[in-house]
Amino acid sequence: EDKVVQSPLSLVVHEGDTVTLNCSYEVTNFRSLLWYKQEKKAPTFLFMLTSSGIEKKSGRLSSILDKKELFSILNITATQTGDSAIYLCAGFNAGNNRKLIWGLGTSLAVNP
Amino acid sequence: EPEVTQTPSHQVTQMGQEVILRCVPISNHLYFYWYRQILGQKVEFLVSFYNNEISEKSEIFDDQFSVERPDGSNFTLKIRSTKLEDSAMYFCASTERGVSGEQYFGPGTRLTVT
């Protein structure tokens, strides 16, 4: 059965800290791994990773995928209170019925 | 920038009533999805839809649920006889064929069943 496991489940940091969020996956017909940020409502897309070892970067956020060890990390440097959210990781099963396999998410709280 | 839209944003209904949640996917997308998220829990896959038929559905998507694409733009989720445990945020998502996994989500409909 496909699964995606995220850790930690919850994290509280102070502004300016750097955080690393982990995501491990077991997904058949794996094609890509996606990171989303969920604040109050719908998840918003952050990154899609398809190749091992190539870092994707957007401002203070960066992410990398290891397809050999089946995990990904999301780094946030110099955290701000606006980074407080649930960060969701999802593995994409690109079989006949394309679907995302979601993790439980990491709840990040950034305190001033 | 094109986006997925959903209506209504919040719906309150009594147990046993039928509800229809509406979504307008991005116009050139071909795969459509419904997810739900019960408060405090993870996003759960309900159903995927392609070429005017269901591609896959989860165990949550029982006979109470149905989906339809009544015209070229709308994608609807119907719950025939709502139960208290159907209270959740319902998200619609769409993806363009050939784009591997990049699903775009609508803002969600909060369904409250009393």
Side-chain angles (χ1 to χ4, degrees):
Chain A
E1 185 183 336
D2 290 349
K3 64 179 180 182
V4 171
V5 178
Q6 292 186 245
S7 64
L9 288 179
S10 180
L11 195 55
V12 181
V13 300
H14 289 292
E15 265 191 319
D17 288 351
T18 293
V19 298
T20 298
L21 310 182
N22 304 294
C23 173
S24 65
Y25 65 91
E26 293 175 27
V27 175
T28 52
N29 299 302
F30 176 81
R31 177 81 61 82
S32 54
L33 189 124
L34 296 95
W35 284 97
Y36 288 83
K37 177 182 181 183
Q38 186 174 26
E39 294 174 272
K40 290 180 183 171
K41 283 198 171 180
T44 51
F45 175 78
L46 292 176
F47 297 112
M48 182 172 74
L49 304 154
T50 53
S51 302
S52 268
I54 298 173
E55 187 184 54
K56 289 217 170 177
K57 201 168 169 63
S58 175
R60 297 176 292 103
L61 276 67
S62 63
S63 184
I64 198 160
L65 176 68
D66 185 326
K67 290 169 80 170
K68 185 180 171 191
E69 300 297 329
L70 307 183
F71 78 90
S72 174
I73 60 171
L74 175 70
N75 278 320
I76 308 174
T77 58
T79 50
Q80 302 170 357
T81 54
D83 295 327
S84 297
I86 296 172
Y87 289 85
L88 295 162
C89 163
F92 186 68
N93 180 330
N96 288 337
N97 300 308
R98 300 152 63 106
K99 61 179 179 180
L100 287 175
I101 312 298
W102 294 90
L104 272 174
T106 292
S107 177
L108 173 66
V110 181
N111 293 328
Chain B
E1 188 177 332
E3 59 184 17
V4 177
T5 59
Q6 289 184 244
T7 55
S9 57
H10 188 192
Q11 182 157 357
V12 182
T13 190
Q14 286 192 319
M15 200 165 55
Q17 295 295 304
E18 174 184 285
V19 295
I20 296 177
L21 310 183
R22 291 185 166 78
C23 168
V24 179
I26 294 173
S27 61
N28 63 330
H29 286 190
L30 297 177
Y31 287 81
F32 313 115
Y33 306 82
W34 282 102
Y35 295 87
R36 78 172 185 192
Q37 187 174 32
I38 295 169
L39 188 65
Q41 297 184 26
K42 68 176 177 179
V43 177
E44 299 173 293
F45 168 77
L46 292 178
V47 65
S48 60
F49 192 86
Y50 170 70
N51 201 27
N52 286 320
E53 60 182 23
I54 292 173
S55 304
E56 187 172 11
K57 57 185 181 181
S58 72
E59 61 277 6
I60 301 167
F61 195 89
D62 60 22
D63 292 342
Q64 293 284 77
F65 292 88
S66 62
V67 288
E68 204 176 41
R69 190 156 162 81
D71 52 45
S73 57
N74 288 285
F75 178 51
T76 62
L77 174 70
K78 182 192 287 187
I79 309 174
R80 286 191 184 82
S81 178
T82 50
K83 303 189 280 276
L84 293 175
E85 53 265 37
D86 293 327
S87 295
M89 279 291 281
Y90 287 82
F91 295 109
C92 171
S94 69
T95 186
E96 182 184 9
R97 185 179 181 181
V99 176
S100 173
E102 193 168 322
Q103 295 189 359
Y104 290 86
F105 282 78
T109 292
R110 177 168 292 287
L111 177 65
T112 302
V113 182
T114 61

